C-alpha cells in the first residue's frame, strides 16, 4: 500500500539531434521534442501526464541536445506546473537504460520510491496513476505499459508475453523476425530504485567480458553485438527487460486507449489529432468553438492559440492546431493540419493534411494538400520555415525545405 511519504520522480528520454533526422525539415531549426502537437511541444504532453503522479518531486529530461536549446522551455514549464523540471545533457549516448544510470545520483537525490521512465516520442493517454496502483499491487521491480496491436504490425516493436492472470512479464524480444505476440511495449515504465542495481550488473558483466577479450573502445562502439558494447552503454529492452523476464521482477499494465509512436512528421499530425480528441475529455477549455457568426466556423476538435487571428468567415477543423501569431484570412479552409508560429494564410486558401512551417506565407486561392497517409513517404505535405507559396499555386504531397518560394504548382516532390 502506498504511503503518503513515498516520493516519485519522472525521467523523460528526449534523444538528440542524430535521432530526429526523419523530422526534417521541421527539426532543422528546433529539437524534435519541442515541435508542436495539438498546440504544445511534443514533450509537453508526457510532462503534463507526470504532473498527475502523486508526490512527484522532480521531472528530468535526458538527452544529448545542447542545454541552451531546452533552457527557455524548461524554465517556462517549471513555472507553469510548479514542479521542478531539469534538462540533463549526456556527454555521449549511453543507451536507454545507461542514460538514466549515468544520472542516477541526481535522480535519487529526493530518495524516490518510484521512478517513472517515459519516451518522449510516444503518444498515448499516459495512465500513470493507474499504472502506479497496479505496480504497487504487483510488488515487482518494474511495470511496463503495453497494448495489443495487429499481428501484422507487431514486428515493428518490442513484443512480449505476459501471464494472463498475474500480468508477469514472461518473455520479451525487441523487433523479432518472426511473430511472438500481439502485445507490445509502449515505452512507458515504472521502476523501483532496484533498476539501478540491474543496470550496474549488466555494465559490470560487460566490463569483465571486455577485459578478458581486450576489446578496444572503437570495436565496442562499431559492433552490434551486446557482448562488445561499451560497458556504460546499456539498452533497456535487450539488456534489462529480456534477461529479467520470467523472474517475477517485471509486470505489465495493458492500456485499452490510444497509442502511437511519433517517428515522422506524418505521425505527428495524426498524434496531434489524438491529443486534440483527448482534450475534449480532459481539457475542453483548450479547444476552440465558433459557428461562423462572430468567429470562425469550428468543426470538431481545433486548437487556436490566443494570439492567433482567424477571420470569422474561415472554416477550421477537424484536427487543426494553429500556433502563436498565425493569421488566417477570409474564406480559408483548414483540415487536418498544423499551422506553426507566425504563419500567414491569405484569403480563400485551402490546407489539407499538411504542416506549415514557422513564418511561412500561403497566397490567395492557393491549395496545400496531400492524401493523408500518415506513415507513408510524402503522405502529408510539409513546408519548412519561411516558405512562400504565391497566389493560386497548388502544392500536393511535397516536402519543401526552408526559405523557398513557390510560384508554380508542384506535386510529389522534395524541393531542396
Amino acid at each position: 500500500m502506498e504511503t503518503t511519504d513515498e516520493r516519485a520522480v519522472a525521467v523523460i528520454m528526449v534523444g538528440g539531434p542524430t535521432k530526429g533526422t526523419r523530422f526534417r525539415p521541421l527539426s532543422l531549426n528546433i529539437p524534435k521534442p519541442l515541435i508542436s502537437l495539438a498546440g504544445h511541444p511534443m514533450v509537453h504532453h508526457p510532462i503534463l501526464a507526470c504532473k498527475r503522479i502523486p508526490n512527484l518531486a522532480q521531472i528530468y529530461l535526458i538527452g544529448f541536445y545542447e542545454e541552451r536549446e531546452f533552457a527557455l522551455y524548461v524554465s517556462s514549464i517549471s513555472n507553469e506546473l510548479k514542479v521542478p523540471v531539469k534538462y540533463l545533457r549526456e556527454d555521449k549516448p549511453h543507451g536507454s537504460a545507461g542514460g538514466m544510470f549515468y544520472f542516477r545520483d541526481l535522480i535519487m537525490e529526493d530518495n524516490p520510491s518510484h521512478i517513472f521512465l517515459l519516451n518522449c516520442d510516444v503518444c498515448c493517454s499516459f495512465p500513470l496513476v493507474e499504472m502506479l496502483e497496479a505496480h504497487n499491487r504487483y510488488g515487482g521491480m518494474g511495470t511496463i505499459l503495453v497494448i495489443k496491436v495487429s499481428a501484422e504490425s507487431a514486428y515493428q516493436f518490442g513484443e512480449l508475453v505476459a501471464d494472463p492472470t498475474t500480468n508477469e512479464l514472461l518473455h520479451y524480444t525487441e523487433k523479432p523476425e518472426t511473430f511472438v505476440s500481439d502485445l507490445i511495449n509502449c515505452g512507458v515504465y515504472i521502476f523501483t530504485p532496484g533498476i539501478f542495481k540491474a543496470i550496474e550488473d549488466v555494465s559490470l558483466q560487460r566490463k569483465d567480458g571486455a577485459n578478458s577479450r581486450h576489446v578496444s573502445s572503437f570495436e565496442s562502439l562499431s559492433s552490434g553485438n551486446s557482448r562488445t558494447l561499451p560497458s556504460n552503454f546499456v539498452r533497456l529492452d535487450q539488456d534489462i527487460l529480456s534477461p529479467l523476464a520470467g523472474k517475477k521482477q517485471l509486470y505489465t499494465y495493458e492500456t485499452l486507449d490510444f497509442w502511437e509512436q511519433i517517428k515522422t512528421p506524418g505521425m505527428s499530425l495524426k498524434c496531434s489529432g489524438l491529443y486534440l480528441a483527448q482534450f475534449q475529455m480532459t481539457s475542453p477549455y483548450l479547444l476552440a468553438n465558433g459557428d461562423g457568426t462572430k468567429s470562425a466556423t469550428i468543426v470538431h476538435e481545433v486548437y487556436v492559440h490566443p494570439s492567433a487571428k482567424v477571420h470569422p468567415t474561415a472554416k477550421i477543423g477537424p484536427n487543426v492546431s494553429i500556433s502563436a501569431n498565425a493569421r488566417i484570412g477570409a474564406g480559408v479552409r483548414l483540415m487536418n493540419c498544423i499551422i506553426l508560429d507566425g504563419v500567414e494564410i491569405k484569403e480563400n486558401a485551402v490546407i489539407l493534411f499538411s504542416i506549415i512551417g514557422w513564418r511561412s506565407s500561403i497566397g490567395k486561392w492557393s491549395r496545400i494538400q496531400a492524401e493523408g497517409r500518415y506513415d507513408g513517404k510524402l503522405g502529408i505535405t510539409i513546408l519548412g520555415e519561411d516558405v512562400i507559396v504565391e497566389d493560386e499555386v497548388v502544392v500536393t504531397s511535397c516536402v519543401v525545405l526552408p526559405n523557398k518560394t513557390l510560384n508554380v504548382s508542384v506535386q510529389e516532390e522534395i524541393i531542396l
Side-chain angles (χ1 to χ4, degrees), residues 63 106 160 178 311 322:
L106 272 174
L160 53 93
T178 57
H311 196 276
I322 301 174

Side-chain angles (χ1 to χ4, degrees), residues 226-259:
S226 63
R227 295 181 63 199
T228 58
L229 285 170
S231 60
N232 60 0
F233 189 95
V234 182
R235 304 160 300 179
L236 184 63
D237 297 333
Q238 298 98 318
D239 299 326
I240 302 296
L241 303 185
S242 291
L244 291 181
K247 296 184 178 178
K248 301 192 182 303
Q249 295 198 57
L250 300 176
Y251 293 81
T252 63
Y253 179 84
E254 183 179 350
T255 178
L256 302 178
D257 215 335
F258 65 92
W259 179 88

Side-chain angles (χ1 to χ4, degrees), residues 78-113:
S78 296
N79 291 331
E80 179 184 330
L81 297 186
K82 304 296 185 279
V83 172
V85 179
K86 290 183 182 176
Y87 176 70
L88 304 176
R89 184 178 184 270
E90 297 180 74
D91 59 342
K92 60 183 179 182
H94 291 90
S96 47
M100 188 168 65
F101 185 74
Y102 183 74
F103 293 108
R104 63 194 178 281
D105 292 339
L106 272 174
I107 292 170
M108 291 304 299
E109 203 169 50
D110 292 294
N111 195 29
S113 303

Side-chain angles (χ1 to χ4, degrees), residues 13 32 62 67 69 72 80 92 107 126 150 159 173 194 200 205 209 241 268 310 348 351 383:
M13 307 301 289
K32 173 184 167 182
I62 296 180
E67 289 183 29
E69 297 187 86
L72 186 61
E80 179 184 330
K92 60 183 179 182
I107 292 170
F126 296 105
S150 68
E159 296 181 29
T173 181
E200 185 177 30
Q205 289 169 13
L241 303 185
S268 75
V310 181
N348 300 306
I351 315 289
L383 305 189

Side-chain angles (χ1 to χ4, degrees), residues 39-50:
H40 301 279
M42 184 187 300
V43 71
H44 195 88
H45 300 282
I47 287 176
L48 283 181
C50 290

Side-chain angles (χ1 to χ4, degrees), residues 119-135:
N119 285 314
C120 173
D121 61 355
V122 163
C123 168
C124 67
S125 59
F126 296 105
L128 303 181
V129 175
E130 297 84 349
M131 276 184 74
L132 180 58
E133 293 170 355
H135 176 76

